[in-house]
Amino acid sequence: MIGAIGIGDISRVISHSPDKKLNERIGFMKSIPASLAQSLRVSGQSHLLSFLDSLNPVDYQRLVGQLMSVDWPLIRNLVSTGFTVVEEGEEDFEPPVAVRANGEGVAWSISDAEDAGVTALRAGAVAAVVVAGGQGTRLGFEHPKGMLPIGPVSNRTLFQIIADRLKATGLRYGVKIPLYLMTSDATHQETVSYFSSNNYLGLDPSELVIFKQGTMPAVDISTGLCLMAAPNSLALSPDGHGGTLAALQKNGCLDDAESRGVKHLAYIQVDNPLAQLCDPVFLGHHLLSGSEMTTQVVKKRYPLEKVGNVVRVGEKVRIVEYSDLPEHSAKQTNEDGELRFWAGNIAVHLIELPFLRRSLTQADLLPFHRAFKQVPYVDRSGQRINPSEPNAVKFERFIFDLLPHAKNALVVEADPAFAFAPVKNAAGSETDTAELAKDACSNLHKGWLERLGITVAEGVRVEINPLFALDMSELATKVSRDQEFLEDHYFCS
Ligand code: UTP
């Protein structure tokens, strides 16, 4: 099932109570509803109608459709509260209580956790949620990030790597794991074509739901006026990965998941090829602790690493952006030399379905964060401006802001070598590039082979498709140990 959000049936909407004065000016065929004109007036955004006269019917419909889909009271509210970044009360932060990678921190063992996770997987109670709606501006890849080739030997794309892992996990536990894949205006069409023209990457199309997240208008940093990307369009951008919540509901994914018997959602981002999607141990820790939301973390590599810091405030778990943790706190160490705030967010979460439903009943549960960005726009005369400095505020919600609202929220540490290889930056950057992610994937698999006594020559890259072996124990049953790899090798079934 592939769902898409349209801009709404505006021909039906515009037949109601047209705004008389405005419509005399723009002509009958282009009338706009009085309620829209009123909302724009009240929120001080009537300038958005200034190009209407000049638009052809198609462009006119597009613009009015966009304007109708914006929550104007919300925009008014966000603009009126200003764009100053509020300093965090650092004294409240404590390191999180966590299940460490070696299993310390809880009463049960890793193997107890694995058993609990396997039982839930076998019961078909788990679905995957992958978010792939971001614009990927730092990477500078001209297609959706999920289409980036990242397999170190195979050149499989990020989407294919996720699909293979999901299929292999389903095969191991005798179920088909539904995948809810979130896109945005920026990535939807290409993602849908990519999946449909590549045989759904081996997934069963009835287990795949591709759905689009919402958008938010960007506003001018100094005036709070919404920017126009063109005379026929607002400057819109995806509403952040926190938009997943509303988009899952709006597109019927929560009902769909429930009807399939799903209780737990395994959430990852598209840009981490090592993400341990549907890992039974992680799932088991989540289940045994009765957590409504569990987040996987890794030890930060250095104090000022640009990852969110997972902290505790009282009994609550929350994530503090790296820019909001004061430098002296970020650099604090414990007696053993470990960073006091050691837990870095890798955006791998487990979320209970009833908790999501409950969260959706509280409209403002997830706050909007403000990001200052360069957003090209057209000025009042219709001239396109490409700013060289941040000129706009974008509003985004973050999924991790759910954490403080979850009962028994849990933090579980993973070894980054097994779980984290983010693809964020363009080639040549020092961190988080595709090349570094390829190295990380190859090194992980090289480590498995070497622990089985197999030699991989220096500089040689290896890659293991999860459909060949999902983990080292499975690999042990499939390869003979007296081997040596002198050239790059891809293990696939
Ligand atoms: P990032 O915040 O790293 O953004 O998203 P990005 O789009 O990948 O890259 P930049 O910042 O523009 O360079 C982290 C994950 O969240 C998803 C992205 O697709 C990525 O998987 N995401 C982000 C969404 O799905 N929607 C959004 O609105 C934002």
Side-chain angles (χ1 to χ4, degrees):
M1 169 169 108
I2 294 185
I5 310 170
I7 54 173
D9 181 0
I10 64 161
S11 55
R12 182 168 49 79
V13 180
I14 61 177
S15 64
H16 295 300
S17 50
D19 181 273
K20 243 175 149 188
K21 218 162 116 202
L22 189 71
N23 289 332
E24 272 167 25
R25 190 162 58 76
I26 59 179
F28 178 72
M29 290 308 289
K30 291 183 178 175
S31 58
I32 76 155
S35 58
L36 174 59
Q38 168 75 0
S39 300
L40 292 172
R41 249 195 308 269
V42 171
S43 25
Q45 304 283 357
S46 296
H47 67 287
L48 298 172
L49 299 174
S50 37
F51 292 113
L52 271 189
D53 300 15
S54 61
L55 298 181
N56 66 38
V58 173
D59 287 344
Y60 156 84
Q61 276 227 349
R62 174 189 160 96
L63 180 58
V64 174
Q66 285 181 351
L67 293 170
M68 294 289 295
S69 68
V70 174
D71 180 343
W72 291 108
L74 171 67
I75 299 298
R76 188 172 171 221
N77 203 5
L78 290 171
V79 169
S80 69
T81 49
F83 306 139
T84 326
V85 177
V86 182
E87 292 282 318
E88 296 274 358
E90 56 175 292
E91 66 282 1
D92 294 341
F93 300 152
E94 293 289 334
V97 176
V99 185
R100 301 307 299 249
N102 62 4
E104 276 175 20
V106 277
W108 52 87
S109 67
I110 288 180
S111 105
D112 291 342
E114 184 168 11
D115 289 348
V118 167
T119 304
L121 283 161
R122 282 198 198 288
V126 184
V129 175
V130 176
V131 296
Q135 292 166 305
T137 29
R138 286 169 287 172
L139 186 65
F141 180 56
E142 59 190 7
H143 304 288
K145 213 192 252 189
M147 290 168 63
L148 185 79
I150 205 80
V153 185
S154 68
N155 264 328
R156 285 178 303 152
T157 61
L158 283 161
F159 280 142
Q160 185 70 62
I161 284 174
I162 291 168
D164 288 344
R165 180 175 172 103
L166 212 54
K167 193 170 173 191
T169 308
L171 285 172
R172 176 175 283 191
Y173 300 114
V175 286
K176 284 189 174 150
I177 302 173
L179 168 60
Y180 298 95
L181 175 62
M182 188 172 83
T183 58
S184 64
D185 279 341
T187 61
H188 189 74
Q189 280 315 332
E190 252 192 293
T191 301
V192 168
S193 318
Y194 175 69
F195 272 79
S196 53
S197 56
N198 286 283
N199 194 26
Y200 301 98
L201 311 185
L203 296 172
D204 180 341
S206 69
E207 306 295 328
L208 172 68
V209 183
I210 304 181
F211 65 102
K212 232 196 312 181
Q213 69 179 110
T215 54
M216 284 291 282
V219 304
D220 183 280
I221 215 165
S222 45
T223 61
L225 294 176
C226 288
L227 294 170
M228 298 197 75
N232 67 351
S233 177
L234 291 172
L236 295 170
S237 48
D239 57 359
H241 40 67
T244 312
L245 238 68
L248 278 170
Q249 186 179 49
K250 186 169 179 179
N251 291 282
C253 303
L254 297 181
D255 292 339
D256 181 75
E258 236 161 48
S259 71
R260 294 171 193 257
V262 168
K263 297 188 173 71
H264 325 290
L265 298 176
Y267 168 104
I268 62 164
Q269 301 182 339
V270 74
D271 54 7
N272 174 13
L274 288 188
Q276 297 177 331
L277 182 59
C278 299
D279 175 57
V281 176
F282 179 45
L283 180 61
H285 285 310
H286 168 79
L287 296 171
L288 293 176
S289 65
S291 160
E292 287 187 318
M293 179 164 177
T294 299
T295 190
Q296 199 174 47
V297 297
V298 297
K299 260 193 216 169
K300 279 163 53 180
R301 288 169 290 187
Y302 45 93
L304 302 182
E305 187 172 357
K306 291 186 172 176
V307 290
N309 291 275
V310 180
V311 302
R312 183 166 57 84
V313 180
E315 294 303 303
K316 307 262 182 223
V317 174
R318 56 167 291 201
I319 294 183
V320 181
E321 296 250 58
Y322 59 85
S323 49
D324 291 336
L325 186 71
E327 193 170 323
H328 68 267
S329 302
K331 288 182 170 167
Q332 274 174 15
T333 51
N334 299 325
E335 275 171 12
D336 60 3
E338 183 179 73
L339 287 175
R340 181 158 178 261
F341 293 103
W342 57 273
N345 171 36
I346 59 168
V348 174
H349 312 297
L350 286 162
I351 310 174
E352 291 299 287
L353 204 58
F355 169 55
L356 267 197
R357 289 239 189 245
R358 195 175 79 233
S359 303
L360 278 158
T361 60
Q362 298 166 55
D364 298 324
L365 195 75
L366 297 184
F368 275 98
H369 297 253
R370 295 153 169 79
F372 304 99
K373 302 271 177 168
Q374 283 165 239
V375 175
Y377 66 100
V378 289
D379 66 13
R380 294 288 176 100
S381 66
Q383 197 190 336
R384 184 154 171 98
I385 313 284
N386 281 312
S388 52
E389 307 237 315
N391 63 314
V393 181
K394 283 187 180 179
F395 300 106
E396 291 192 349
R397 280 178 156 146
F398 297 158
I399 190 90
F400 58 68
D401 282 327
L402 276 177
L403 271 168
H405 303 282
K407 287 185 197 136
N408 303 326
L410 183 71
V411 177
V412 179
E413 183 193 7
D415 181 338
F418 301 159
F420 192 43
V423 183
K424 299 285 182 192
N425 297 326
S429 307
E430 273 180 25
T431 55
D432 302 345
T433 61
E435 273 315 293
L436 291 171
K438 286 181 186 180
D439 285 345
C441 295
S442 174
N443 288 341
L444 172 66
H445 294 156
K446 191 174 174 181
W448 290 359
L449 291 164
E450 287 176 345
R451 264 175 279 155
L452 293 174
I454 296 168
T455 307
V456 180
E458 186 71 28
V460 166
R461 274 178 162 175
V462 286
E463 179 182 349
I464 300 166
N465 188 309
L467 289 161
F468 182 83
L470 195 47
D471 51 29
M472 204 177 87
S473 343
E474 189 175 0
L475 184 65
T477 66
K478 298 231 171 132
V479 288
S480 61
R481 293 169 190 238
D482 51 354
Q483 297 190 67
E484 193 176 4
F485 288 94
L486 302 174
E487 285 176 2
D488 291 356
H489 192 83
Y490 176 42
F491 296 81
C492 59
S493 36

